[in-house]
Amino acid sequence: MAALPLRALTLRQLQFFSVLVEEGQFGKAARRLAITQPALSNAIKQMEKLLGAELLTRSTHRLELTPVGAEVLARTDFLVNTFEVALRDIESTVQRGRAYVRIGVIPSASARVAAAASEFLQDGHREVELSWRDAPSNTLLAELRSGQIDMAVAAITEPPGGLTCIDLFRDPLVLVVRRDHPLAAAGDASWEAIGKERLVLFESGSMPALGNPARAQFAQGPQPYRVSYSETLYALVRGGQALGLMPRLYTSSLRDPELAVVPLLKPRVERRVVLAYLPGPMRNVVAQELIAFLRERLPQAGEATVRRVSGKGSRARR
């Protein structure tokens, strides 16, 4: 019976706590919630009393979560997000006769996932409303854990804790080079063939974990350029300043007569593209059916041949 005081916690109190942490100030949070600042302060104090622990340390200018507060926040966000989505789901079902499913996808895989989802909708599943979220893998996995999305197609190098992950396909690293570069004529390349040429690669996502060990193994220098967007990477390669190192998925829409995509072998370095979701019962049957469909369809879509170039002036093919 010791847990009975927690039963007195309300969803409204949890919402107050979540918004307060997000805003970082009682005044801003109170205005967003359309309540008075004393009312918000009292609600947080009541939460702390029911929990028997301090959630926040307060100062004149900012709030900081205590270790207990951080743990409570993770579970609070999940409950609040799940409640909001459940209301959206009910609204969609009652007003439009459709289930509501939220999909997260890394941008490089969006074309394949969107095509597979379209097949799902055409295959007798018109009673579903899909919501899309594109973001880096670490963001998607965090939002999955907090209940903001139902499933995510993401790239990983290590299994993420607390999630069910289904391997879809492997996405190898490739080089993007100028079409007049010797490696373009060779048709493929080894890491040793890169030699001392400068690379340009993404500064975040899976690239640091994939590219850095391989560079270290072959003692390559100088330090690579690190960028956030593929447009910048392509521009540096086009200008002859570097060779691009990136996952093959990113190059699927590359149609540039000045650039060629070259398979990178010996060793072949690749990231895992997975379908991730929270273990346990799903929020609705349609979400379960979409997961089952994607786990069967996407591995087939991933069986694309690597682009090769046969020589200067030839067009790259997928």
Side-chain angles (χ1 to χ4, degrees):
M1 302 299 290
L4 281 178
L6 292 180
R7 304 284 183 180
L9 279 174
T10 67
L11 179 63
R12 186 170 177 80
Q13 288 172 325
L14 297 176
Q15 289 172 321
F16 286 178
F17 178 54
S18 180
V19 171
L20 175 59
V21 174
E22 186 176 337
E23 295 293 343
Q25 295 180 1
F26 275 92
K28 288 183 178 180
R31 287 192 292 273
R32 177 173 160 185
L33 293 164
I35 61 174
T36 65
Q37 189 167 327
L40 176 58
S41 180
N42 288 335
I44 300 303
K45 289 178 181 178
Q46 188 176 9
M47 274 190 69
E48 292 178 322
K49 183 178 179 180
L50 290 170
L51 291 167
E54 189 179 43
L55 300 176
L56 299 159
T57 56
R58 302 157 174 83
S59 67
T60 305
H61 300 291
R62 65 178 183 177
L63 299 171
E64 290 187 0
L65 286 167
T66 65
V68 172
E71 292 292 334
V72 172
L73 178 66
R75 292 154 179 79
T76 295
D77 284 345
F78 178 79
L79 288 171
V80 171
N81 291 329
T82 301
F83 177 74
E84 294 293 336
V85 171
L87 290 180
R88 176 75 180 269
D89 203 10
I90 291 170
E91 178 188 34
S92 182
T93 301
V94 172
Q95 295 185 0
R96 292 181 289 277
R98 296 179 178 180
Y100 179 58
V101 179
R102 305 155 302 162
I103 306 174
V105 60
I106 50 175
S108 56
S110 58
R112 290 178 180 170
V113 178
S118 296
E119 289 183 31
F120 179 79
L121 294 174
Q122 294 166 7
D123 191 25
H125 291 87
R126 299 181 182 276
E127 70 284 0
V128 58
E129 177 183 350
L130 298 181
S131 173
W132 292 90
R133 166 72 164 139
D134 61 334
S137 294
N138 57 345
T139 300
L140 294 177
L141 297 178
E143 293 182 358
L144 190 57
R145 290 190 183 95
S146 66
Q148 295 173 260
I149 53 179
D150 295 308
M151 65 195 73
V153 175
I156 64 171
T157 54
E158 297 292 336
L163 298 173
T164 299
C165 288
I166 299 169
D167 278 289
L168 297 175
F169 53 87
R170 300 299 175 104
D171 187 23
L173 298 188
V174 296
L175 284 177
V176 180
V177 303
R178 283 171 53 111
R179 195 166 292 281
D180 58 3
H181 192 282
L183 289 177
D188 57 39
S190 67
W191 285 85
E192 289 181 315
I194 297 173
K196 298 299 181 181
E197 294 205 51
R198 188 187 294 271
L199 294 172
V200 54
L201 48 88
F202 295 131
E203 62 183 352
S204 60
S206 57
M207 282 308 301
L210 292 174
N212 290 343
R215 286 189 63 256
Q217 179 181 349
F218 293 100
Q220 292 171 342
Q223 283 297 312
Y225 295 125
R226 299 183 187 276
V227 300
S228 297
Y229 301 100
S230 57
E231 291 87 349
T232 308
L233 186 149
Y234 294 147
L236 292 174
V237 176
R238 200 179 296 114
Q241 298 187 45
L243 307 182
L245 178 66
M246 64 197 314
R248 187 178 67 189
L249 271 179
Y250 279 93
T251 68
S252 60
S253 59
L254 178 60
R255 302 289 185 271
D256 190 322
E258 297 183 53
L259 301 178
V261 179
V262 180
L264 185 55
L265 311 174
K266 298 177 184 179
R268 177 182 168 104
V269 179
E270 54 193 12
R271 61 181 183 168
R272 293 167 57 192
V273 178
V274 301
L275 176 61
Y277 54 92
L278 283 169
M282 272 303 213
R283 189 170 45 79
N284 60 52
V285 173
V286 177
Q288 296 176 7
E289 293 175 348
L290 180 55
I291 285 176
F293 185 88
L294 293 178
R295 69 183 295 177
E296 295 297 327
R297 178 67 185 87
L298 288 177
Q300 301 170 20
E303 294 299 324
T305 57
V306 180
R307 291 187 187 185
R308 297 180 178 270
V309 290
S310 57
K312 185 176 178 180
S314 64
R315 295 189 61 83
R317 295 177 181 242
R318 227 182 118 207

